[in-house]
């Protein structure tokens, strides 16, 4: 079969965020269609490093970092042959990959539009202008982790970390602009979108809480705060930051600022059910109650007691606690129920 003229090479779109995919109107390649991890690793590396000639040694060290192949040069040649055939089967008889003396290179006539590169370019441009709409366009390009199917690859880890840091920086600059311009519904939408990928970023949670409070969504803010505090404790074992606790206090203040009926306030303060067992609260509330109890005890000349009940796994020295985090979490839930049922109504506990 004759080679097709250089000027007729197809333009291909490469999707790397959230999943790997190469496509145009005439064909598509996904990880499922490639059906080979080695071919996927080779193709993604060739695409992302298409601006330079790649030596046989570099490709071998990337694909077989632990010298898993007895004849790495031969294995690479065979793998490259399979990749070329796969590309031709999908888009026709083009020379997508050229060969030189001991090097391989992606053919410059084959134009690729890579989402990660477009995203990076967008973000560079954002550093010199503060246009909200352009920042939103940049953020929209980020649709998840970079090449998640190859998350263990060293070069993927490094690139993914770099792109993620750019993403978070761009998002936070955009969030600051939206908050400054009081565009709270857009800020809420942005934060919820970001938290799909960055669920442990407390700064984004704070932006979301402030947006909800400013938009008079007090109940949604309270529910999100409660979920977030529990999630971050379960995932990281950390308490909410001072900033998040201050937002929570502001939320409580706003909720009752304009209430003038003592009957309504009293009704709202009542517990919904008859109290049984200890009172469970989150850490910010616990701090306030502790301060109040400390004042009361000083005035009345009585003692109060603060106790720490800890739980850990009795593991061998070489076994990390994190390996059994689910077991520890289940144990903490049992401990919570035990304390709730075993202590007095006037006792206060927090996790």
């Amino acid at each position: 079969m004759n080679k097709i003229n250089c000027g007729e090479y197809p333009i291909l779109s490469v999707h790397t965020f959230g999943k790997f995919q190469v496509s145009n109107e005439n064909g598509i390649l996904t990880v499922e269609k490639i059906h080979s991890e080695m071919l996927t690793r080779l193709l993604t590396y060739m695409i992302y490093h298409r601006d330079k000639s790649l030596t046989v040694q570099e490709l071998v060290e990337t694909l077989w970092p632990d010298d898993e192949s007895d004849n790495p040069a031969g294995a690479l040649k065979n793998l490259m042959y399979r990749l070329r055939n796969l590309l031709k089967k999908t888009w026709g008889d083009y020379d997508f990959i050229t060969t030189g003396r001991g090097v391989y290179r992606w053919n410059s006539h084959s134009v690729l539009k890579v989402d990660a590169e477009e995203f990076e370019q967008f973000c560079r441009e954002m550093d010199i202008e503060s246009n909200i709409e352009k920042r939103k366009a940049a953020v929209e390009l980020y649709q998840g982790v970079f090449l998640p199917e190859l998350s263990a690859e060293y070069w993927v880890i490094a690139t993914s970390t770099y792109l993620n840091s750019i993403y978070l920086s761009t998002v936070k600059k955009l969030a600051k602009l939206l908050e400054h311009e009081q565009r709270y519904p857009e800020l809420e939408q942005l934060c919820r979108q970001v938290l799909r990928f960055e669920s442990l970023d407390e700064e984004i949670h704070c932006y979301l809480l402030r947006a909800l409070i400013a938009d008079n969504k007090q109940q949604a803010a309270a529910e999100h705060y409660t979920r977030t505090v529990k999630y971050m404790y379960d995932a990281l074992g950390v308490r909410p930051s001072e900033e998040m606790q201050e937002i929570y206090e502001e939320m409580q203040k706003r909720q009752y600022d304009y209430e003038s009926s003592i009957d309504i306030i009293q009704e709202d303060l009542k517990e919904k059910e008859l109290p049984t067992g200890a009172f469970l609260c989150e850490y910010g509330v616990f701090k306030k109650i502790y301060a109040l109890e400390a004042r009361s005890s000083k005035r009345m000349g009585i003692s109060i007691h603060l106790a720490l009940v800890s739980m850990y796994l009795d593991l061998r020295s070489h076994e990390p606690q994190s390996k059994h985090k689910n077991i520890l979490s289940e144990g903490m839930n049992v401990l919570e129920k035990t304390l709730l049922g075993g202590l007095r109504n006037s006792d206060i506990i927090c996790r």
Side-chain angles (χ1 to χ4, degrees):
M1 183 183 294
N2 295 327
K3 302 294 181 189
I4 302 174
N5 294 333
C6 291
E8 299 175 359
Y9 273 74
I11 297 174
L12 303 177
S13 296
V14 183
H15 193 101
T16 62
F17 288 132
K19 64 177 180 178
F20 176 65
Q21 177 179 294
V22 185
S23 63
N24 71 356
E25 64 277 7
N26 298 317
I28 182 171
L29 273 182
T30 62
V31 171
E32 292 75 22
K33 285 194 173 184
I34 295 172
H35 202 59
S36 165
E37 182 182 344
M38 292 301 292
L39 282 178
T40 302
R41 291 169 64 191
L42 177 58
L43 176 58
T44 53
Y45 196 82
M46 292 291 299
I47 286 175
Y48 212 74
H49 298 85
R50 66 189 182 283
D51 58 340
K52 65 176 185 177
S53 297
L54 301 170
T55 65
V56 170
Q57 181 179 356
E58 179 181 348
L59 289 171
V60 165
E61 289 176 353
T62 300
L63 296 169
W64 295 279
D66 302 319
D67 298 325
E68 299 168 2
S69 174
D70 296 331
N71 179 17
L76 175 62
K77 186 176 181 180
N78 177 58
L79 196 64
M80 196 66 75
Y81 174 78
R82 290 170 57 198
L83 177 58
R84 282 171 166 152
N85 283 342
L86 178 64
L87 293 169
K88 289 177 181 180
K89 183 179 178 181
T90 307
W91 287 290
D93 194 25
Y94 299 94
D95 280 329
F96 288 100
I97 300 171
T98 61
T99 307
R101 184 171 295 180
V103 297
Y104 294 97
R105 188 182 183 109
W106 188 270
N107 194 332
S108 60
H109 293 297
S110 175
V111 178
L112 301 177
K113 293 183 176 180
V114 183
D115 58 353
E117 295 172 353
E118 291 179 8
F119 167 75
E120 189 178 354
Q121 181 60 35
F122 256 132
C123 292
R124 280 204 201 99
E125 294 172 0
M126 293 307 97
D127 288 337
I128 57 176
E129 57 180 303
S130 58
N131 183 288
I132 285 182
E133 301 312 316
K134 287 189 176 181
R135 287 188 185 277
K136 288 171 72 175
V139 170
E140 283 296 326
L141 282 172
Y142 192 94
Q143 294 295 313
V145 178
F146 176 75
L147 293 178
E149 300 93 344
L150 303 176
S151 59
E153 296 285 296
Y154 175 77
W155 75 271
V156 173
I157 294 171
T159 306
S160 179
T161 302
Y162 169 66
L163 292 171
N164 183 256
S165 67
I166 295 177
Y167 172 68
L168 282 176
S169 175
T170 303
V171 160
K172 289 173 184 179
K173 289 175 183 176
L174 174 57
K176 187 175 181 180
L177 286 170
L178 290 171
E179 186 173 39
H180 177 73
E181 296 195 8
Q182 299 182 10
R183 294 163 65 166
Y184 300 120
E186 292 175 66
L187 178 56
E188 178 188 347
Q189 182 181 6
L190 171 69
C191 292
R192 292 195 185 281
Q193 175 186 336
V194 175
L195 290 173
R196 289 186 298 152
F197 314 126
E198 300 295 331
S199 58
L200 293 173
D201 193 296
E202 196 165 356
E203 191 174 347
I204 300 299
H205 283 291
C206 287
Y207 271 116
L208 176 56
L209 287 170
R210 287 198 295 269
L212 291 170
I213 293 168
D215 209 22
N216 292 316
K217 297 180 179 178
Q218 310 301 330
Q219 185 63 32
E223 291 172 357
H224 183 78
Y225 176 85
T226 302
R227 285 196 306 270
T228 301
V229 168
K230 184 179 186 306
Y231 176 65
M232 297 193 78
Y233 187 90
D234 289 344
L236 301 177
V238 298
R239 297 191 297 266
S241 65
E242 291 293 332
E243 181 184 7
M244 187 171 282
Q245 290 180 51
E246 287 171 6
I247 293 172
Y248 179 76
E249 290 175 10
E250 173 64 19
M251 177 172 56
Q252 295 298 308
K253 179 176 177 293
R254 285 195 178 211
Q255 188 168 355
Y256 302 110
D257 260 352
Y258 306 107
E259 186 54 71
S260 59
S261 169
I262 188 65
D263 294 328
I264 294 175
I265 292 174
Q266 187 175 21
E267 185 63 31
D268 189 71
L269 289 173
K270 286 182 181 178
E271 291 191 68
K272 303 306 177 186
E273 299 175 358
L274 289 175
T276 56
F279 177 73
L280 175 67
C281 60
E282 56 88 26
Y283 185 71
V285 174
F286 186 87
K287 282 177 65 178
K288 296 292 185 183
I289 297 175
Y290 178 83
L292 178 63
E293 290 289 332
R295 290 185 182 193
S296 178
S297 68
K298 185 177 181 180
R299 185 178 71 251
M300 299 178 68
I302 61 175
S303 298
I304 61 170
H305 302 279
L306 178 68
L308 174 65
V309 183
S310 301
M311 178 174 286
Y312 64 94
L313 296 174
D314 187 13
L315 303 175
R316 297 182 180 89
S317 59
H318 66 277
E319 288 188 279
Q321 293 269 336
S322 58
K323 182 180 177 183
H324 305 280
K325 192 168 75 172
N326 288 341
I327 298 174
L328 193 60
S329 180
E330 290 174 11
M332 287 293 287
N333 290 335
V334 172
L335 176 60
E336 181 181 297
K337 291 177 182 177
T338 302
L339 293 174
L340 284 172
L343 295 176
R344 299 166 301 178
N345 288 359
S346 58
D347 292 326
I348 304 140
I349 65 172
C350 88
R351 188 161 169 170

